[in-house]
Amino acid sequence: MCGIVGVVSGKDVSQKLFSGLLNLEYRGYDSVGMCVIKDKNFKIKKDVGKIEQVNNKVNFLSLHGNIGIAHCRWSTHGGVTKNNAHPHTGSRNKISIVHNGIIENYSEIKGELQKKKHVFSSETDTEVIAHLIESYLDIYTFEKAVREALKKIEGSYALGILCADEPEKLIGARNESPLIIGVGNNENFISSDIPSILTQTNKIVYLEDKEMAVLTKDNVMVFDLEGKEKKKKIHIINWNAEAAQKSGYKHFMLKEIYEQPRAIADTLNERVQNGSIVFGKEFGFSNNYLSKVNRIVIIGCGTSWHAGLVGKFMLEELAKIPTEVEYASEFRYRHPLLDKSTLIIAISQSGETADTIAALKEAKKHGVKTLAICNVMGSSITRISDGVIYTRAGPEIGVASTKAFTTQLAVLYLLTILFSKLRKTLNKTQIKDMIESIRKIPLQLQSVLDEYDEILKCAELYHNKQNSLYLGRGVNFPIALEGALKLKEVSYMHAEGYPAAEMKHGPIALIDKSMPVVFIAPHDVYTYKKVLGNIEEVKARGGIIIAIATEGDKEIPQKSKHTIFIPKTLYTLSSILSVVPLQLLAYHIADKLGRDVDKPRNLAKSVVVE
Ligand code: M6R
């Protein structure tokens, strides 16, 4: 996951590239770079660090030219180094390129080019594309050289490409990674997303897979890979000042849904060190104390309670530690049985929820230790608790919790790794596998966010329904609850979350031809086959099946009306991926109904009354 932006203009472009980059920072920020053409030469500045940090060092605005490309990186191939930062050029400095995606056959192509004496200066898959295009420039024009290269590469890409000898032309291309074109006045743009260029233009052309756009300052042409021109529609994006505050997103909820890859990456940042989990000084618990914990009680409300249910599954399944999850509002009036070996975990986005504060105070009366998982620094819950792990979701403004939830899951997963290690319930290889899998989540989340066509279709078809059911099992049962809660609170449509197998004990009576039933059914070794059976039961009664399934699943699409795929990951982590389409479904249904998505009726962001 990376952000790319490009501009070709009648004027200097560095300021526009820079402001585009700032808006794309959520897509990656381990290194950043910019390239302009001046007098048929590339002028490049790049380095490791966040955009502002690198700019303070290199001053991107000191680059002058009327055409340029820029990139913020979330590393996949090659470490976080200046050499691996984009843009990348070929050996002869004729081609400069920025890329978002993964080239699967890059090592094969690299080998072929090395035999032809190409010398590479980075470990990235991207640099191979620059060399490949350059190798074709001996025989083809710039445009044909790009087309030939695109035919040879396999994998995903959104590309911005410059040729030093043709300083009036910017080429953009996409396959399975997002890229849009902005049509301006005496200037044109490419970018990974619309909000990043909305202050420049609201005329947008959507590029499709395997399309290539050739931009000059006063013209945009789109071609397929055979060079056949394609006529494209210009879409006018309506936005206002408030929208600009939301980085161009219509609502904070949508912005926050799209921020999740960045939020999770931030939450993981510096907490995984040499195969160990390190929570920092505010965590406050020694390994010695944690090894003696033999029971965990998680408390929270609403979405945070759902996160607790996922946490229970993780902690019991992997760390083998008995875990209970309680509604904070029930816990405090129940005279809970607690002893010194019990750890209380309070989960709260705001850190100000009155019920959770009251429950924490009740727990403290029993002399047990308390740990807060919280998003707001210095909030009441963090001050009352003995230790804190901060989710680093950033400010969550939309009343419906989205990025706070997935970052809570990420923290619970890290905590599970820590307990598993201390309790020796998993071996080194299993822990390594868990760490590698969560590191992939931001990138996998981005791919879920980039594929929303089927979700839009469902919102269009079903936004006028009165009721819906959400069904899941195991770690995805709480996701069914969360999907239903999201829909209820923002669209006011009635929705119920159930364990899929419980359906036959009652809710099945609700199913008829007008009932949408959302199955959260990623592939797993536990209950997948049983869930297939549950899907059949709903199908037999005419229910409208919308399924969340793992990429490559052949059976679910045959049984469902709509299938939304998520990438393959560990079963416990599938919950982080499977909730995102449900957030988007709730958002788009509410938006279609004209609801006040960020401030749904009767709700508040922090519920500070009991
Ligand atoms: O700030 P908290 O996490 O303690 O808030 C708990 C609930 O009020 C909150 O999750 C609520 O259910 C959200 N509106 C859900 O989207």
Side-chain angles (χ1 to χ4, degrees):
M1 174 183 59
C2 301
I4 71 172
V5 60
V7 189
V8 51
S9 174
K11 294 178 272 182
D12 204 88
V13 295
S14 55
Q15 177 65 58
K16 289 181 176 169
L17 287 170
F18 185 64
S19 78
L21 265 185
L22 287 174
N23 287 326
L24 288 170
E25 191 161 33
Y26 74 94
R27 299 182 69 88
Y29 46 80
D30 58 36
S31 55
V32 54
M34 192 185 283
C35 168
V36 299
I37 305 182
K38 185 78 183 160
D39 302 322
K40 291 202 168 183
N41 282 311
F42 293 134
K43 302 286 174 201
I44 295 178
K45 287 183 190 271
K46 59 181 182 179
D47 214 329
V48 169
K50 294 194 172 165
I51 296 173
E52 293 282 11
Q53 287 167 342
V54 176
N55 186 48
N56 287 340
K57 201 164 155 191
V58 305
N59 187 12
F60 286 121
L61 301 189
S62 66
L63 288 173
H64 294 294
N66 290 2
I67 185 166
I69 49 179
H71 184 272
C72 48
R73 180 168 188 245
W74 174 254
S75 54
T76 55
H77 290 63
V80 181
T81 64
K82 186 174 173 183
N83 273 359
N84 288 338
H86 300 214
H88 290 286
T89 56
S91 311
R92 288 184 282 145
N93 263 322
K94 292 290 175 203
I95 292 293
S96 179
I97 196 161
V98 287
H99 170 216
N100 168 34
I102 293 175
I103 304 304
E104 284 152 12
N105 59 343
Y106 84 101
S107 51
E108 192 184 310
I109 300 174
K110 190 170 180 175
E112 287 169 20
L113 290 167
Q114 279 168 328
K115 280 188 203 143
K116 292 181 189 161
K117 306 274 178 272
H118 281 255
V119 179
F120 288 80
S121 51
S122 78
E123 304 148 322
T124 64
D125 51 343
T126 304
E127 192 188 351
V128 168
I129 314 173
H131 285 260
L132 184 63
I133 299 173
E134 233 179 37
S135 73
Y136 288 134
L137 278 180
D138 295 333
I139 34 177
Y140 299 129
T141 61
F142 175 30
E143 287 166 51
K144 180 143 170 75
V146 173
R147 279 205 306 274
E148 289 311 302
L150 296 182
K151 283 191 222 164
K152 190 160 167 109
I153 60 178
E154 288 163 17
S156 58
Y157 54 78
L159 295 165
I161 312 165
L162 298 177
C163 177
D165 292 335
E166 296 205 45
E168 70 295 336
K169 237 177 234 175
L170 164 64
I171 292 186
R174 77 157 267 177
N175 189 45
E176 293 170 14
S177 290
L179 191 70
I180 52 101
I181 297 165
V183 181
N185 194 1
N186 199 32
E187 58 189 0
N188 290 307
F189 305 80
I190 56 167
S191 180
S192 298
D193 75 12
I194 297 169
S196 64
I197 55 166
L198 263 181
T199 50
Q200 315 295 333
T201 179
N202 65 344
K203 294 183 193 148
I204 301 296
V205 174
Y206 295 100
L207 218 53
E208 302 296 335
D209 283 350
K210 303 223 165 59
E211 285 184 342
M212 172 180 131
V214 180
L215 287 74
T216 59
K217 69 179 170 49
D218 32 39
N219 197 23
V220 173
M221 291 175 89
V222 177
F223 303 91
D224 66 18
L225 295 190
E226 298 311 317
K228 189 161 162 260
E229 194 185 351
K230 296 182 89 177
K231 287 284 164 232
K232 302 288 286 189
K233 185 172 169 210
I234 296 180
H235 298 257
I236 305 296
I237 307 294
N238 290 320
W239 63 287
N240 51 34
E242 202 200 1
Q245 193 207 344
K246 293 168 191 147
S247 309
Y249 286 98
K250 189 169 177 189
H251 294 101
F252 282 111
M253 182 181 175
L254 192 61
K255 175 176 177 254
E256 288 158 5
I257 289 173
Y258 276 84
E259 278 175 343
Q260 290 180 103
R262 196 266 315 138
I264 300 228
D266 275 357
T267 300
L268 300 180
N269 202 13
E270 289 166 21
R271 280 162 171 175
V272 183
Q273 293 177 14
N274 302 323
S276 292
I277 305 303
V278 183
F279 284 124
K281 64 175 182 346
E282 66 275 358
F283 179 53
F285 295 110
S286 66
N287 283 351
N288 186 30
Y289 164 75
L290 294 173
S291 322
K292 292 185 187 132
V293 170
N294 63 18
R295 175 178 172 233
I296 290 176
V297 176
I298 300 178
I299 51 176
C301 302
T303 288
S304 294
W305 182 76
H306 295 157
L309 292 177
V310 176
K312 171 184 165 73
F313 189 94
M314 291 174 175
L315 286 159
E316 291 194 336
E317 178 75 14
L318 301 165
K320 309 288 177 210
I321 183 159
T323 304
E324 291 146 49
V325 189
E326 299 249 13
Y327 282 118
S329 53
E330 292 295 314
F331 175 87
R332 67 159 303 200
Y333 292 108
R334 223 178 34 75
H335 307 294
L337 302 176
L338 302 169
D339 63 31
K340 297 263 157 43
S341 57
T342 303
L343 173 67
I344 298 284
I345 301 180
I347 306 181
S348 175
Q349 186 286 131
S350 61
E352 302 296 347
T353 300
D355 287 325
T356 313
I357 293 174
L360 257 181
K361 287 183 176 163
E362 174 68 28
K364 286 193 84 92
K365 279 193 213 155
H366 294 255
V368 293
K369 295 273 185 210
T370 54
L371 167 67
I373 296 178
C374 189
N375 196 39
V376 179
M377 232 174 239
S379 56
S380 305
I381 285 173
T382 66
R383 282 183 275 117
I384 299 168
S385 303
D386 297 302
V388 183
I389 305 174
Y390 283 106
T391 48
R392 293 170 177 157
E396 191 181 66
I397 293 159
V399 163
S401 191
T402 52
K403 60 179 180 169
F405 178 68
T406 46
T407 53
Q408 286 165 354
L409 299 194
V411 164
L412 287 162
Y413 182 85
L414 295 182
L415 203 57
T416 301
I417 297 177
L418 181 60
F419 272 112
S420 303
K421 215 168 168 177
L422 291 171
R423 296 167 69 84
K424 300 190 178 40
T425 53
L426 297 177
N427 63 33
K428 273 189 177 164
T429 318
Q430 288 168 314
I431 286 177
K432 190 165 167 263
D433 191 29
M434 282 184 76
I435 290 175
E436 278 170 9
S437 300
I438 188 130
R439 281 191 189 283
K440 287 185 198 152
I441 287 290
L443 204 62
Q444 293 181 316
L445 258 183
Q446 190 58 48
S447 73
V448 176
L449 289 167
D450 288 341
E451 295 301 323
Y452 51 83
D453 288 356
E454 199 62 29
I455 298 168
L456 283 180
K457 202 158 137 192
C458 292
E460 182 64 47
L461 288 169
Y462 309 125
H463 66 276
N464 283 321
K465 297 282 178 194
Q466 301 298 309
N467 297 293
S468 57
L469 268 181
Y470 284 67
L471 303 175
R473 294 188 74 159
V475 76
N476 282 299
F477 160 54
I479 300 305
L481 295 177
E482 176 60 8
L485 174 63
K486 284 293 88 88
L487 187 68
K488 278 187 272 211
E489 65 180 335
V490 296
S491 75
Y492 319 149
M493 186 194 287
H494 177 239
E496 290 289 338
Y498 260 92
E502 268 296 300
M503 177 190 64
K504 56 187 176 294
H505 298 286
I508 199 163
L510 295 168
I511 293 168
D512 62 15
K513 286 193 175 61
S514 66
M515 173 73 99
V517 182
V518 181
F519 275 94
I520 300 100
H523 207 285
D524 70 74
V525 290
Y526 304 84
T527 53
Y528 173 76
K529 292 261 183 248
K530 303 275 180 210
V531 174
L532 285 182
N534 300 140
I535 293 178
E536 289 289 4
E537 286 154 16
V538 171
K539 199 175 170 193
R541 286 152 183 88
I544 304 160
I545 298 161
I546 301 169
I548 312 292
T550 307
E551 267 166 16
D553 191 314
K554 300 270 186 294
E555 291 195 64
I556 287 188
Q558 284 174 20
K559 300 178 195 295
S560 313
K561 181 130 194 236
H562 307 276
T563 308
I564 296 150
F565 290 103
I566 57 168
K568 197 163 190 273
T569 183
L570 296 182
Y571 180 52
T572 39
L573 279 176
S574 64
S575 52
I576 300 189
L577 298 177
S578 59
V579 76
V580 173
L582 307 184
Q583 296 169 343
L584 282 171
L585 183 63
Y587 170 79
H588 286 296
I589 287 179
D591 187 39
K592 287 224 163 297
L593 292 168
R595 306 294 191 227
D596 189 351
V597 175
D598 286 331
K599 298 181 204 79
R601 69 185 181 198
N602 309 338
L603 286 170
K605 184 65 187 158
S606 301
V607 183
V608 293
V609 288
E610 283 185 56

